Amino acid sequence: NAGVTQTPKFQVLKTGQSMTLQCAQDMNHNSMYWYRQDPGMGLRLIYYSASEGTTDKGEVPNGYNVSRLNKREFSLRLESAAPSQTSVYFCASSEVREPTGRGYTFGSGTRLTVV
Amino acid sequence: AQSVTQPDIHITVSEGASLELRCNYSYGATPYLFWYVQSPGQGLQLLLKYFSGDTLVQGIKGFEAEFKRSQSSFNLRKPSVHWSDAAEYFCAVGQTGANNLFFGTGTRLTVIP
């Protein structure tokens, strides 16, 4: 089925460990996004990639890095995990840079716990 | 700065009753407005969106929303709620040329039989 695929779905890390969250979309979308969702705070943008080869910081980029590997894939890396990064992470994609067209398509999320 | 407010954290309605979820936004320019729904353990699914034109927008699953510029609101409505509508609902706002959607904090809907 067409959509956004995130891996892994669940992960537990120890403080200081590193990991990469993977995201791939098969809709030929140009733009991709990483959000984190925390209780009572809605979704906040970490990083986005308006098009292949470009990445930019969002609202809460500290402690994260991203790579737009190709048009399909956009990964999020935690170099040294901290308990404050415990969250649910969502990847999303959209056809165009502006929020026009058909809105965002979201993946099913990665639930990350840092202990 | 742009912001989205969903004043109701949690709403409980009886199955078959009508529903209205509130959303207020603060934005300098003409906004693009969205409602998304999130079922437990799932990602967000687009219910409907407003870009321009008719201020009453129809979406999936029998939902509709009305854009009221004078009130800076984009409230979501459904005339008769089904048990399967129990979920969390997010309002979001964007702007042409921007690279981000700003999300509200969400409203959790409980449906009682």
Side-chain angles (χ1 to χ4, degrees):
Chain A
N1 291 335
V4 178
T5 302
Q6 291 184 237
T7 55
K9 293 189 182 303
F10 301 93
Q11 184 72 48
V12 178
L13 289 179
K14 294 182 179 179
T15 298
Q17 287 186 318
S18 63
M19 79 161 295
T20 300
L21 281 64
Q22 306 287 351
C23 175
Q25 52 90 10
D26 57 5
M27 297 169 287
N28 202 36
H29 284 176
N30 290 307
S31 300
M32 298 184 74
Y33 312 84
W34 276 105
Y35 282 87
R36 60 177 289 173
Q37 183 181 28
D38 302 293
M41 302 189 74
L43 280 79
R44 293 179 294 169
L45 183 67
I46 304 171
Y47 271 93
Y48 65 92
S49 171
S51 60
E52 186 179 357
T54 69
T55 62
D56 285 288
K57 296 178 180 180
E59 185 182 355
V60 288
N62 291 344
Y64 305 95
N65 286 299
V66 291
S67 295
R68 184 76 183 265
L69 305 172
N70 47 56
K71 192 171 185 179
R72 291 186 63 248
E73 298 173 287
F74 188 39
S75 62
L76 178 71
R77 182 161 179 84
L78 287 71
E79 292 290 351
S80 178
S84 61
Q85 295 178 304
T86 294
S87 186
V88 181
Y89 292 85
F90 287 100
C91 178
S93 69
S94 63
E95 288 180 88
V96 295
R97 180 174 180 172
E98 314 93 305
T100 58
R102 303 171 192 175
Y104 290 12
T105 300
F106 282 85
S108 58
T110 295
R111 187 174 295 274
L112 175 67
T113 301
V114 182
V115 297
Chain B
Q2 50 270 54
S3 66
V4 179
T5 302
Q6 293 180 248
D8 303 306
I9 296 173
H10 184 205
I11 286 182
T12 300
V13 300
S14 298
E15 191 168 15
S18 63
L19 172 70
E20 182 169 24
L21 303 182
R22 296 182 291 165
C23 173
N24 294 95
Y25 67 90
S26 172
Y27 224 74
T30 300
Y32 296 89
L33 295 155
F34 304 80
W35 274 100
Y36 283 86
V37 61
Q38 183 182 31
S39 298
Q42 301 298 313
L44 279 73
Q45 180 185 19
L46 181 65
L47 282 176
L48 48 78
K49 63 185 187 295
Y50 170 78
F51 293 142
S52 63
D54 192 346
T55 57
L56 184 62
V57 180
Q58 302 297 321
I60 63 171
K61 304 185 180 186
F63 285 93
E64 66 178 26
E66 187 171 11
F67 172 59
K68 293 185 177 180
R69 184 186 302 276
S70 61
Q71 299 177 20
S72 297
S73 69
F74 188 56
N75 293 349
L76 182 71
R77 301 194 295 249
K78 188 170 184 177
S80 178
V81 170
H82 188 263
W83 65 265
S84 61
D85 293 325
E88 189 148 20
Y89 292 80
F90 292 92
C91 181
V93 62
Q95 186 180 17
T96 304
N99 291 292
N100 189 15
L101 290 185
F102 288 90
F103 285 82
T105 52
T107 298
R108 184 161 62 91
L109 175 65
T110 297
V111 180
I112 56 177

